[in-house]
Amino acid sequence: MKQVLCFFMCLFALTVYGQREASNWYFGTHAGLDFNSGIPQVLNGGQIRTVEGCETFSDANGNLLFYTEGNTVWNRSHQIMPNGTGLGGSFSTTQSALVVPHPILSNIFYVFTPDDALAYRLDQANGFNYSVIDMSLDGGNGDVTTKNIDLLPNSSEKVTAVGSPDGSFYWVITQYENKFYAYKIDAAGVNTTPVVTTIGPLIDDFENIRGSLKISPNGDKLAIAHTILVPEYQGMLYLFDFNVNTGVVSNSQLLGNDRIYYGVEFSSNSSKLYASGMELIEENGMRETGNLEIVQFDLDEANIPASEYTVANFPPGIAHEIAGALQIAIDKKIYHAVPSGELSVIRTPNLKGIDSDFRLFEVDLNPGSATYGLPPFIQSFFETIVTIENFCEGEATTFTTDAPGGIQSMSWDFGDPASGSDNFSTNISPTHVYSTHGVFTINLDVIYTNGSSRTFVEFVEIAELPNVNNSVELVQCDVDGVADGITLFNLYEAIEIVGNGNEDMNGLFFLTMADALSNTNQLPAIGYQNIANGQVIYARVFENAECHVIVEIILTVRAMSDLGTYDRIELCDLVSTFLVSKINLLDAYDYISSEFPGNESIELFSSQGDALMELDSLPLEEHLFGLLDPWSVFFRIENGNSCDYIGKLEFDIIQQPEFEKNVAIDLCNNEATLSAPEGFSQYSWSNGGVGQSIIVYDVGSYEVTFYKGECSSTQYFEVLETPEIGINQIEVNDFKTINNEIIIHLEQIDEDVLYSINGGIDYQTSNSFSRLSPGVYEISVTNNCTIIKETIVVGGLDSFFTPNNDGINDIWTLTNAEFFPNFEISIFDRYGQLVTVFNDALHGWDGMHNSRSMPSNDYWYQLELENGRIIKGHFALKR
């Protein structure tokens, strides 16, 4: 029984996976793509939100199983799997996760998660781990059964995988410092004892563990990008040999250190290596980053570093330190991600140099968006054993098997049922003439002489022979101030004319027909300077780089097309701040359109260079000018795709006035004066008034629009009923030496009321007056319309008197006694003996007692007022 079981399992292991396990991608910010048709289609519903790494896995038929950013696993229904959080990966890791299926058990999957440079900053290194998913659980939606089995305590952010030629096992490889760790996954599961190879540079700073690692689809080569950020910007790109039988890495080769390398990827036939990196520029003794570049290396060349070719040089500002991931798809195209709503693509990466056909931001992801990462996948999913050539409709497409040795038989399905019996072949290297243009799915079943089998999936895009104009004229303006018929061209603008509006058309440009035929000595497309007016150049025009036609382009320079500074117009500032100004460029466009009516195209640009090259045209919407930005734009006028004029339009931006936008005002004496800001040329009130101020007599809402030139602002007034005010109480805290106090209490609190104690000469917002001397005070309360007045007496008694008959302070009595009828004051000496008593009928005390002058001393008093209030204190008699 054991022998039968072993035979079954071994035979099962020889049947190798297909390639549709990599059909679905979820990445970036809710971005998703489906490659099952051979043309990437947007997927919605993805929950992933990651800065860098991610991974997705599908079944052999291309149906989504699950996806992750290294920390959380979502199932096919975009729900978090049971136990699907807290995996050891991180959304900020270059390659945060990689999924490998169990070679025998179809329901078991391993999720490998490498480390994160940011975790080291917190002294929380994740190491290199794997978790286990069982897809037979949770009704077939999967369950994370085991989490974070530790393989290494420390690792880099790099991981890659490849299958064995017979499909019986996989290698998962990571790297740390100067060692590669290769883990074998076979019928027994994950072997936790890795094959360790010490080789390559020592990367011993955790800040520099970023960058990608990839094995070639055929398993023979391994490439690694070291993203070095400290102590200064640096980068290294290395190529190694890999032994897919033993897991050993060997033969280190430095390909480049002139960029901060990040992404790496091989072409499907493993003949080309691509890498993304940021240019390194020396400025003032410091290394800075320049533009993002993607470069190609030809692995068939004897001197691989010397074969470097720059596939793409991105516009400035696309990235700063991280150059973005590169990832091959089952359509055998390589995709590139940086933060954007689109992915760029290398359409024919098996081809050398310019024939690789790079397209900037070609694949729309809306409503999702890309960040810096793409799912890495098992690299052998993308292996091809066939070189496919001739992609023009009507021509015989050839399929050349690259390594026929060891193949017992091949069965081809060309995905073209309209071709009848010709849709199938058993030849090793067949040809097929496709019935029409389009994308076709080829299924190739291979049986090897060792008994193993494998199904390869290829996508062929048969291009319709380009429908182009054989000769076109590209007319450019001349703005250099020299009337010599020489200017700069954006040659890509000719493709729109050549291709009759086909947006998928591309082109390469050459000085001579011979160069165009041999595809050598390519001209720079943007910024090419013509040799003479009327010069003829040549373009290879294509949708697919291997299906092209050569057309003639006549470069014509239009004389007297530089308008210089055409005009200065007034525009309204839409914000009221000193640091920036905002205008609506549609107003500028409308002005140019009125000046140059009947033209096919008018575009606005920030600079003359952009206008000349037709780069980065400004949208006709609100536009911000910074504090140091010139208040101007450049316009380009075209007819029939020919440049007629380029000019500069300057602006006088009228700043927004500062004013209170919403004003509330009360009627006062049945009227209110409404006043708009001064200094404007015109005022228009909602009640028909036209002056800067108006008088209204009714409550309600009013508004005024005031103008300076064409710019206007609106102010809103709300006229309210006259508010009633009333005094509830006037609190007097008196009979104190110097700290007497008056507090006025209103019937209703009103923040707009003002208070006065000197009859309205001076007002204050506070209802409290302190440090008052005894006396009579005229209370005045107003809301700037109604005034209430009362007279208040602050009572007091002198602190001393001098009865020496000099007419000054000879009598001690109550201040303002006339305001306190029926008072009575009793005076006591220091021993408490009553000295005298007097009331409002007497003038006060003259310092005598029983006809005898009392000595200088302190005396105590008790004052009893008519309302029963009693005040006690003391004073001094001084002689």
Side-chain angles (χ1 to χ4, degrees), residues 821-839:
N822 302 318
F823 73 84
E824 180 179 277
I825 296 179
S826 301
I827 299 174
F828 304 87
D829 64 14
R830 58 185 297 187
Y831 302 107
Q833 298 298 318
L834 179 64
V835 175
T836 187
V837 176
F838 65 90
N839 55 31

Side-chain angles (χ1 to χ4, degrees), residues 117-409:
L118 297 181
Y120 281 85
R121 295 181 183 177
L122 303 175
D123 197 26
Q124 297 176 352
N126 299 323
F128 188 61
N129 305 272
Y130 77 91
S131 301
V132 182
I133 292 176
D134 187 342
M135 287 301 299
S136 68
L137 302 179
D138 194 30
N141 288 313
D143 192 334
V144 180
T145 59
T146 308
K147 271 195 302 195
N148 300 330
I149 299 174
D150 188 33
L151 296 174
L152 289 174
N154 303 97
S155 77
S156 67
E157 296 189 353
K158 312 173 196 297
V159 63
T160 190
V162 69
S164 65
D166 64 1
S168 63
F169 63 87
Y170 298 93
W171 290 108
V172 173
I173 302 96
T174 189
Q175 182 270 348
Y176 184 63
E177 293 187 338
N178 61 345
K179 291 180 174 60
F180 287 91
Y181 299 85
Y183 294 87
K184 194 173 188 179
I185 297 90
D186 56 18
V190 178
N191 186 340
T192 58
T193 302
V195 176
V196 181
T197 305
T198 303
I199 192 172
L202 175 64
I203 309 297
D204 57 1
D205 191 319
F206 69 82
E207 292 286 0
N208 299 326
I209 64 175
R210 299 172 177 88
S212 299
L213 173 68
K214 290 287 181 70
I215 295 180
S216 60
N218 65 6
D220 289 345
K221 298 289 184 182
L222 184 149
I224 189 169
H226 293 295
T227 305
I228 308 298
L229 303 181
V230 297
E232 65 176 357
Y233 288 147
Q234 190 182 349
M236 291 179 283
L237 177 65
Y238 275 87
L239 182 69
F240 301 88
D241 290 337
F242 182 75
N243 189 318
V244 75
N245 295 310
T246 66
V248 173
V249 180
S250 60
N251 296 331
S252 170
Q253 186 175 11
L254 177 66
L255 299 186
N257 59 4
D258 53 344
R259 298 175 183 86
I260 305 179
Y261 287 101
Y262 181 82
V264 292
E265 187 56 282
F266 292 90
S267 62
S268 63
N269 66 3
S270 303
S271 69
K272 307 295 184 297
L273 171 65
Y274 294 84
S276 64
M278 304 301 302
E279 288 181 302
L280 286 174
I281 301 171
E282 295 282 347
E283 288 188 359
N284 302 320
M286 299 285 292
R287 282 190 177 180
E288 299 292 339
T289 58
N291 289 356
L292 191 162
E293 293 184 324
I294 297 177
V295 292
Q296 178 200 75
F297 295 90
D298 188 343
L299 305 188
D300 293 332
E301 293 287 342
N303 187 343
I304 296 175
S307 71
E308 176 185 317
Y309 173 80
T310 301
V311 172
N313 188 302
F314 284 66
I318 295 296
H320 175 55
E321 294 178 337
I322 304 301
L326 291 164
Q327 179 58 45
I328 191 171
I330 63 172
D331 62 0
K332 308 305 167 64
K333 299 174 183 179
I334 292 176
Y335 294 83
H336 175 254
V338 287
S340 171
E342 301 88 19
L343 295 182
S344 299
V345 59
I346 304 170
R347 289 166 58 95
T348 50
N350 286 328
L351 302 182
K352 187 174 182 178
I354 57 176
D355 286 336
S356 60
D357 191 13
F358 173 81
R359 303 289 179 96
L360 179 65
F361 298 139
E362 172 91 352
V363 180
D364 187 9
L365 302 175
N366 186 54
S369 61
T371 49
Y372 293 102
L374 293 170
F377 298 115
I378 299 170
Q379 286 294 99
S380 42
F381 286 171
F382 311 106
E383 182 184 9
T384 182
I385 61 172
V386 177
T387 298
I388 307 174
E389 298 177 293
N390 300 331
F391 299 98
C392 283
E393 183 179 6
E395 295 184 3
T397 301
T398 63
F399 302 85
T400 304
T401 301
D402 297 330
I407 294 177
Q408 178 177 314
S409 65

Side-chain angles (χ1 to χ4, degrees), residues 2-34:
K2 290 183 178 178
Q3 290 180 331
V4 173
L5 179 62
C6 176
F7 171 78
F8 172 78
M9 292 183 67
C10 293
L11 179 62
F12 187 86
L14 295 178
T15 302
V16 188
Y17 50 82
Q19 295 168 310
R20 292 191 183 272
E21 291 86 347
S23 294
N24 298 289
W25 294 13
Y26 285 96
F27 57 96
T29 303
H30 309 303
L33 290 174
D34 179 354

Side-chain angles (χ1 to χ4, degrees), residues 568 581 625-626 629-633 649-655:
R568 176 184 291 268
S581 294
F625 289 103
D629 293 336
W631 288 355
S632 62
V633 295
L649 183 62
E650 296 182 339
F651 306 129
D652 284 327
I653 299 180
I654 298 177
Q655 305 293 307

Side-chain angles (χ1 to χ4, degrees), residues 412-432:
W412 299 81
D413 179 342
F414 297 113
D416 182 23
S419 63
S421 60
D422 289 341
N423 189 45
F424 306 97
S425 176
T426 57
N427 294 336
I428 296 296
S429 295
T431 62
H432 181 75

